Amino acid sequence: MARAVFYGAISLDGYLADKEDHLEWLYQQEGGDLVPFDPFYQMIDYTMMGRRSYDVVKRDAKLEVINPGKENFVFSHSMIDVDDNIQVVNDDPVEFIKRLPADKTIWVIGGGSLLQPVIEAGLIDEWWIQIVPILLGEGVPLFLPQSNQQKFQLLETEQFGQFAQLHLKK
């Protein structure tokens, strides 16, 4: 089984996106360009995200290619058009991760229905969560209700402009 990790930014009240699935609030924050993404990106082999996260990233991130140089998977119950470097998967995310090689690392992108079963199964080994000092009030939460408690070790906290990054490990 591959090592599963999470890297992403949330509002102070725990949202990945606002209630309209937009990320402008995130991209307009001072210091986002200071968060050290490259070392994290170099350690991953695969990415996985839900269709909703893919749509938001495609629309708001203004990237020519999403996650270049990685093997990328979008989970969807229906066929969708995606970039050439992305494969559409209609599979259980937990079983998908378990089938990946043990010497590889997969980045679980987004939250909600894709992340929740992965968390429930205790598969996220390491977290990098950037917290932005903004209250959105409502939106797309990082964490959905869980049936079990999980504890993590806080490895490090760092500040990058207006971003506070927590680095946690199982």
Side-chain angles (χ1 to χ4, degrees), residues 1-7 40 43-44 46 48 93-94 96-98 100-102 104-109 115 118-119 122-128 152 168-170:
M1 175 178 76
R3 183 173 86 102
V5 298
F6 177 88
Y7 183 101
F40 168 80
M43 67 176 247
I44 63 168
Y46 307 110
M48 62 187 282
V94 171
F96 180 82
I97 292 170
K98 288 180 177 179
L100 294 173
K104 303 292 184 183
T105 299
I106 187 162
W107 174 20
V108 183
I109 301 170
L115 183 61
V118 175
I119 294 172
L123 298 185
I124 302 290
D125 292 312
E126 210 161 348
W127 299 81
W128 286 265
F152 299 93
L168 307 133
K169 193 168 188 162
K170 187 160 54 163

Side-chain angles (χ1 to χ4, degrees), residues 2-169:
R3 183 173 86 102
V5 298
F6 177 88
Y7 183 101
I10 60 171
S11 64
L12 187 59
D13 49 354
Y15 295 108
L16 292 161
D18 68 19
K19 64 182 177 181
E20 283 90 30
D21 276 351
H22 288 278
L23 300 174
E24 286 88 7
W25 63 271
L26 173 62
Y27 297 133
Q28 295 170 358
Q29 294 297 315
E30 181 267 320
D33 56 333
L34 302 173
V35 178
F37 178 71
D38 288 339
F40 168 80
Y41 195 70
Q42 295 309 313
M43 67 176 247
I44 63 168
D45 302 290
Y46 307 110
T47 73
M48 62 187 282
M49 68 176 80
R51 183 213 40 87
R52 188 172 170 189
S53 293
Y54 173 77
D55 290 343
V56 170
V57 169
K58 185 75 173 159
R59 181 193 66 219
D60 292 353
K62 304 198 180 6
L63 300 170
E64 234 175 85
V65 178
I66 295 174
N67 303 319
K70 306 299 177 187
E71 207 169 330
N72 303 294
F73 303 94
V74 170
F75 285 70
S76 177
H77 296 296
S78 58
M79 286 308 299
I80 58 170
D81 287 330
V82 294
D83 294 344
D84 291 340
N85 70 323
I86 295 174
Q87 299 173 52
V88 178
V89 176
N90 181 3
D91 201 354
D92 173 74
V94 171
E95 293 306 314
F96 180 82
I97 292 170
K98 288 180 177 179
R99 287 194 304 268
L100 294 173
D103 64 338
K104 303 292 184 183
T105 299
I106 187 162
W107 174 20
V108 183
I109 301 170
S113 60
L114 180 73
L115 183 61
Q116 194 268 346
V118 175
I119 294 172
E120 277 284 332
L123 298 185
I124 302 290
D125 292 312
E126 210 161 348
W127 299 81
W128 286 265
I129 302 174
Q130 299 82 36
I131 301 170
V132 180
I134 184 172
L135 295 173
L136 295 178
E138 57 184 312
V140 180
L142 172 58
F143 299 107
L144 295 177
Q146 302 291 314
S147 65
N148 59 342
Q149 187 179 83
Q150 295 181 47
K151 290 186 178 185
F152 299 93
Q153 177 184 8
L154 178 61
L155 298 178
E156 184 176 34
T157 59
E158 293 182 87
Q159 182 175 348
F160 302 100
Q162 289 297 301
F163 288 67
Q165 179 171 271
L166 302 177
H167 181 193
L168 307 133
K169 193 168 188 162

